Amino acid sequence: MEAERLLEEAARRIATSKYCVALTGAGISTESGIPDFRGPKGLWRKYDPEDFTLQSFLSNPAKYWRLHFEIFAGLDRAKPNPAHFALAELERLGKLKCVITQNVDGLHQKAGSRHVVELHGNLGKARCLSCGREYPMGEVEGRVAGGENPPKCSCGGLLKPTVVFFEEPLPFEAFRKAEEEALKCDLMLVVGTSAVVYPAAELPYLAKFKFRPPSPLWFSSGLGEGKTAIIEVNMEATPLTGIADLSLFGKAGKILPRLVERVRSMLE
Ligand code: NAD
Ligand code: ZN
């Protein structure tokens, strides 16, 4: 299908959906100047994922905070882009019930989305690993910039950003809510995720087939009968493309505003 017809068909499906949810990944924020992990200019081309495991944080927190500073300082000044605003608009139109995000940048909320489930926490704060006290990230980053590395709590405990590191379990309540939404939806819009980081990547499968398979390989067996439409927006094909009903390839900041504009006119 050529691009315009694909867009039209995607808009029609959204406009006629009963319960649409979105799953977003780092790709929706690249146009806000925040690099993703695996895209063409992704962080893994320069940094080692091993430095972002819980184990490496605990064994060398100062190293983590140095890298954090290089990569994420100033994140609080990042602004939502047209893709975030488009999803917020889709929620205002009553069509999007919830955004499930793997992102830690808080840009959906900044754009005005109200129902946001953060699967991997966020970089807005740091929490003491001993007493649980939380500090605003700006304050902690200021201390690191001033030479306090690793930064400590007033109780002497180590401060860790309130994000999920590799090897850490996801926040229980957020993942439970995400599963509930995936089971409930009749349409899932999947934007800017490489769909390889589990368990977040299993949500589109859960949405489509309404049950948890023994392994992702199960889906290639061809046994699954889809119950929910999946619309994917990404710069490139992903492991999800095979089960997506529609794939819109290109920049989310270009595609989503046009898509939502069409949905809006269909609803009028
Ligand atoms: P990923 O880096 O693995 O994949 C990003 C995907 O987005 C790629 O498939 C890429 O082709 C696509 N993409 C890049 N720019 C795009 C654009 N403008 N429009 C449409 N698609 C675009 O990201 P992921 O799947 O979210 O998984 C990585 C993990 O990285 C997540 O768990 C997340 O917590 C973390 N992360 C978050 C941020 C953030 O909060 N902004 C940034 C980097 C990493
Ligand atoms: Zn403490």
Side-chain angles (χ1 to χ4, degrees), residues 34-266:
I34 305 169
D36 60 10
F37 280 163
R38 298 177 187 76
K41 293 184 188 149
L43 292 169
W44 295 162
R45 287 172 199 258
K46 187 166 169 204
Y47 298 97
D48 183 355
E50 284 299 314
D51 287 332
F52 298 86
T53 63
L54 184 62
Q55 193 49 46
S56 59
F57 175 80
L58 294 173
S59 60
N60 192 348
K63 181 172 183 192
Y64 168 79
W65 281 104
R66 260 196 320 276
L67 291 174
H68 170 100
F69 216 74
E70 228 176 274
I71 301 170
F72 299 119
L75 195 79
D76 54 334
R77 289 191 297 279
K79 295 199 168 51
N81 68 56
H84 299 100
F85 287 118
L87 291 187
E89 171 69 5
L90 200 55
E91 184 179 333
R92 271 194 296 277
L93 290 171
K95 273 295 150 193
L96 187 65
K97 306 301 180 194
C98 152
V99 177
I100 303 164
T101 189
Q102 300 169 78
N103 295 347
V104 294
D105 54 31
L107 291 183
H108 286 298
Q109 294 91 328
K110 274 194 191 170
S113 285
R114 294 198 305 123
H115 295 101
V116 181
V117 177
E118 291 179 317
L119 289 177
H120 295 160
N122 66 70
L123 275 176
K125 287 183 267 183
R127 183 181 296 131
C128 171
L129 291 182
S130 304
C131 74
R133 181 169 168 193
E134 293 187 342
Y135 295 81
M137 184 56 86
E139 180 195 323
V140 178
E141 286 176 353
R143 280 155 55 183
V144 178
E148 184 192 328
N149 194 11
K152 298 266 175 69
C153 177
S154 53
C155 82
L158 202 55
L159 295 180
K160 174 185 168 294
T162 51
V163 293
V164 176
F165 280 43
F166 292 121
E167 297 172 350
E168 268 191 293
L170 302 199
F172 178 81
E173 181 50 29
F175 197 66
R176 191 204 59 74
K177 174 80 177 147
E179 285 186 323
E180 185 183 306
E181 296 290 337
L183 287 170
K184 219 195 274 185
C185 68
D186 66 345
L187 177 63
M188 185 178 263
L189 191 55
V190 183
V191 186
T193 173
S194 58
V196 296
V197 179
Y198 280 80
E202 104 193 359
L203 292 167
Y205 298 99
L206 191 60
K208 191 168 177 82
F209 301 106
K210 304 299 183 210
F211 83 100
R212 181 175 291 99
S215 114
L217 288 178
W218 183 88
F219 294 108
S220 50
S221 68
L223 290 172
E225 189 202 331
K227 295 189 166 60
T228 292
I230 305 288
I231 299 178
E232 182 181 39
V233 178
N234 202 301
M235 302 268 277
E236 57 195 10
T238 72
L240 256 194
T241 306
I243 68 149
D245 296 77
L246 295 172
S247 293
L248 309 179
F249 293 118
K251 289 188 168 181
K254 293 266 178 312
I255 293 175
L256 288 183
R258 292 173 60 208
L259 183 61
V260 172
E261 184 47 39
R262 282 180 193 224
V263 174
R264 204 171 59 76
S265 61
M266 286 174 184

Side-chain angles (χ1 to χ4, degrees), residues 6-57:
L6 266 176
L7 201 67
E8 186 71 14
E9 174 62 9
R12 192 190 60 75
R13 292 202 185 202
I14 294 171
T16 56
S17 69
K18 292 195 169 49
Y19 201 99
C20 171
V21 305
L23 172 68
T24 66
I28 198 171
S29 294
T30 52
E31 292 166 75
S32 293
I34 305 169
D36 60 10
F37 280 163
R38 298 177 187 76
K41 293 184 188 149
L43 292 169
W44 295 162
R45 287 172 199 258
K46 187 166 169 204
Y47 298 97
D48 183 355
E50 284 299 314
D51 287 332
F52 298 86
T53 63
L54 184 62
Q55 193 49 46
S56 59
F57 175 80

